[in-house]
Amino acid sequence: MRTGLRVLLVAVAIAGSASFVLPAIVLPALAQKSAVDAAKRLQKARETTVSLAERLRSELAAAIKNGGVVGAMGLCQTISPDLVTSAADEFGFEVGRTALRLRNPENAPDEWERKVLLQFQAQIGAASDASKVEFSEIVTTAEGDRLFRYMKPIMTGDTCLSCHGSDLKPDVKSEITRYYPEDKATGFKLGELRGAFSLVQLIEE
């Protein structure tokens, strides 16, 4: 009995020692794998925002050329969602746009997005190069899902001022009121933070 008990205790001690030592060996490898995965997601998120921004600029320029600023505003309600859906299908991200000063209330930022937008505002206000400003993070939801989240600033360009600037034509103001009665997205200056692209991707274990 004593011999059997001694053997059992040794076996438990070995098993306990192995289970304790294993994480010290495995954790660095897991951390490295996680870092590589995050880097790949970040690169793909960057590619997604570049592609989406280029498509939006191209579609908007064509709409303004064909129907003027007022015509482009009407199309914006359908163009932007279609491009976002297309980008999501192509790159595998849930894609959206948000801002601190909203035109469409459906694009209101969640708590995480609002914090990032305020961070962008501070960075750009401190003369940071907006083209290099971005933010990514892996977050865990209340339900336990792990999400990769990424945001990239949208800056106010010359074309944006036509319907987001201070000196708007009467017909443009009227159209904004018609489509977006709760609009707060005017009065922007060239080079000011307009909003941001916001990307989300579920991390499947």
Side-chain angles (χ1 to χ4, degrees):
M1 289 291 292
R2 290 184 179 179
T3 301
L5 178 60
R6 188 162 53 247
V7 171
L8 176 61
L9 289 174
V10 170
V12 170
I14 292 174
S17 175
S19 64
F20 178 79
V21 173
L22 185 60
I25 299 172
V26 173
L27 282 178
L30 291 176
Q32 183 178 12
K33 180 181 179 181
S34 179
V36 170
D37 178 72
K40 289 181 178 179
R41 292 179 192 274
L42 176 58
Q43 182 57 37
K44 182 63 76 171
R46 288 169 174 163
E47 293 172 2
T48 302
T49 53
V50 168
S51 175
L52 183 57
E54 289 177 350
R55 294 181 195 182
L56 283 172
R57 279 194 293 268
S58 176
E59 294 285 354
L60 184 59
I64 291 175
K65 182 178 179 179
N66 293 330
V69 175
V70 171
M73 287 182 58
L75 289 174
C76 190
Q77 287 193 313
T78 55
I79 289 176
S80 296
D82 288 347
L83 288 178
V84 165
T85 300
S86 175
D89 292 341
E90 181 178 348
F91 293 100
F93 287 98
E94 180 181 329
V95 183
R97 291 181 299 165
T98 188
L100 294 172
R101 291 158 57 186
L102 295 166
R103 172 146 293 174
N104 185 344
E106 293 183 3
N107 295 332
D110 61 25
E111 183 179 351
W112 185 89
E113 290 171 327
R114 181 172 178 78
K115 288 180 180 178
V116 177
L117 284 167
L118 290 171
Q119 178 180 308
F120 285 170
Q121 194 173 61
Q123 287 178 281
I124 294 168
S128 295
D129 183 350
S131 66
K132 297 180 180 179
V133 175
E134 61 181 1
F135 187 82
S136 66
E137 186 177 24
I138 293 175
V139 301
T140 302
T141 68
E143 294 76 21
D145 294 325
R146 296 177 70 236
L147 305 175
F148 172 84
R149 302 198 67 172
Y150 175 84
M151 287 182 70
K152 179 69 179 176
I154 298 173
M155 305 305 294
T156 305
D158 288 318
T159 304
C160 304
L161 295 176
S162 299
C163 60
H164 289 289
S166 300
D167 187 19
L168 304 182
K169 294 181 179 180
D171 58 341
V172 173
K173 288 183 180 180
S174 176
E175 201 73 355
I176 290 173
T177 301
R178 182 160 77 95
Y179 281 109
Y180 308 102
E182 299 178 26
D183 176 64
K184 293 181 176 63
T186 57
F188 284 91
K189 298 178 181 179
L190 186 66
E192 191 176 359
L193 177 68
R194 168 67 191 93
F197 291 111
S198 182
L199 280 62
V200 182
Q201 188 177 62
L202 175 66
I203 299 176
E204 298 182 357
E205 303 297 340

